[in-house]
Amino acid sequence: MSTARTTAAMAGVLEALPTITLPEVLAEAALQVRVDRKYLLPLETFVELAARLQGTFAALRIDDQTAFRYESVYFDTAEHELYRQHLQRRRRRYKLRTRAYLDSGECSLELKLKGGRSETIKSRVGYPLADRGRLNPDAWNFVAERLHAEYGVRPEPGLAPALKTTYRRSTLVDPTGHARLTCDVDLRFTDARHSVQARPDVVLVESKTAGRAGVADQVLRELGARTIQVSKYCVAVALLNPRLRANPWHRTLQLFR
């Protein structure tokens, strides 16, 4: 199946769901501190998931669109120090990226850390779109402040753009504000040397809840889906640098190819 067919099929699925607007989403819990559960689904499984969630979840719609173009630039050292933190499952590990919302022209700088109970803690500030490929002085101050507050450490010297990911995202929201699903297709990973396209017939679904597994996670279990260990950044590094060790993600990498 081509990327275009997958995108069209996704659009058809989302049209069948009730919709929710961005102000309504922002009025609910932001889920900045949350538990993430990730699944890589064949398109057919995603279609069944959406059908079963019709009475619970709504699709985010902005300007008559339900799929939006994202671009993330990830920062790391030349030795892939942040990647190695995740590879070695260090307690104090983090990811740093800019995220551009290409349809609206908005951009943010995001720092994602791991909490003491494996929850994801995300700090985010607005960022100039023109600076998304670099860390300006305000970015360095923001990162230094947050790392000191959470971990008592300084940023690694030599942080620089390492790679870029692009994809199309649709978001399903539980209107009670306790859960959200992000659904990504058309994933591409690019560094200074080359680019890798993920399989076009899969959907990367991230279930974001304030704590325990939600309704969507229960439905996914009933459909035979299992959570996977995946980070877009770590998968991208491993796919773009096949000589690097990637033991925790060997099975996941096969699903992306």
Side-chain angles (χ1 to χ4, degrees):
M1 178 178 290
S2 67
T3 298
R5 289 181 62 188
T6 299
T7 301
M10 286 278 292
V13 168
L14 297 172
E15 284 296 326
L17 292 173
T19 59
I20 188 169
T21 65
L22 185 58
E24 291 174 302
V25 173
L26 296 177
E28 303 292 351
L31 290 175
Q32 294 297 87
V33 178
R34 67 197 188 215
V35 176
D36 294 345
R37 298 172 181 86
K38 303 179 183 182
Y39 309 83
L40 200 61
L41 305 179
L43 179 61
E44 295 79 5
T45 302
F46 177 79
V47 170
E48 179 63 23
L49 169 68
R52 296 197 189 188
L53 294 179
Q54 281 192 20
T56 309
F57 279 73
L60 173 63
R61 183 181 293 274
I62 303 173
D63 295 334
D64 206 34
Q65 294 186 68
T66 55
F68 308 95
R69 295 176 299 143
Y70 280 54
E71 176 190 282
S72 296
V73 177
Y74 288 86
F75 298 84
D76 206 339
T77 67
E79 296 77 27
H80 298 98
E81 177 59 29
L82 302 193
Y83 172 79
R84 296 181 193 280
Q85 289 178 3
H86 288 77
L87 178 68
Q88 298 164 7
R89 305 291 295 173
R90 296 183 196 172
R91 184 171 63 87
R92 294 177 176 176
R93 61 187 188 272
Y94 65 93
K95 290 193 289 287
L96 177 63
R97 71 187 179 201
T98 59
R99 169 168 284 176
Y101 305 86
L102 298 179
D103 294 298
S104 67
E106 297 178 4
C107 185
S108 62
L109 176 70
E110 299 181 350
L111 180 68
K112 297 178 72 174
L113 306 96
K114 278 297 177 186
R117 294 189 295 272
S118 296
E119 74 275 20
T120 299
I121 302 173
K122 182 164 73 172
S123 299
R124 177 172 58 195
V125 293
Y127 202 65
L129 183 67
D131 284 348
R132 67 186 185 276
R134 73 182 189 100
L135 296 175
N136 65 24
D138 289 339
W140 280 105
N141 291 337
F142 167 76
V143 174
E145 177 184 326
R146 295 308 305 150
L147 287 179
H148 178 74
E150 296 292 341
Y151 288 165
V153 301
R154 296 179 179 179
E156 279 75 4
L159 288 175
L163 59 85
K164 176 177 69 177
T165 66
T166 58
Y167 51 95
R168 292 182 181 272
R169 167 167 289 185
S170 299
T171 300
L172 307 184
V173 180
D174 176 353
T176 66
H178 299 306
R180 192 174 303 164
L181 294 179
T182 58
C183 314
D184 300 339
V185 296
D186 194 14
L187 285 97
R188 181 175 291 276
F189 313 116
T190 306
D191 63 13
R193 297 169 300 163
H194 58 293
S195 181
V196 176
Q197 176 79 48
R199 284 177 51 184
D201 59 342
V202 296
V203 185
L204 177 59
V205 173
E206 299 185 30
S207 167
K208 308 170 192 293
T209 66
R212 64 183 182 180
V215 172
D217 298 287
Q218 180 179 341
V219 172
L220 283 163
R221 283 196 298 270
E222 294 170 356
L223 293 173
R226 296 292 179 265
T227 58
I228 59 172
Q229 284 190 337
V230 62
S231 149
K232 284 193 189 73
Y233 178 61
C234 293
V235 164
V237 170
L239 288 173
L240 292 165
N241 301 272
R243 294 184 179 180
L244 285 178
R245 192 162 66 88
N247 304 50
W249 307 295
H250 277 166
R251 175 176 171 272
T252 299
L253 291 174
Q254 297 305 314
L255 298 174
F256 272 89
R257 292 188 175 103

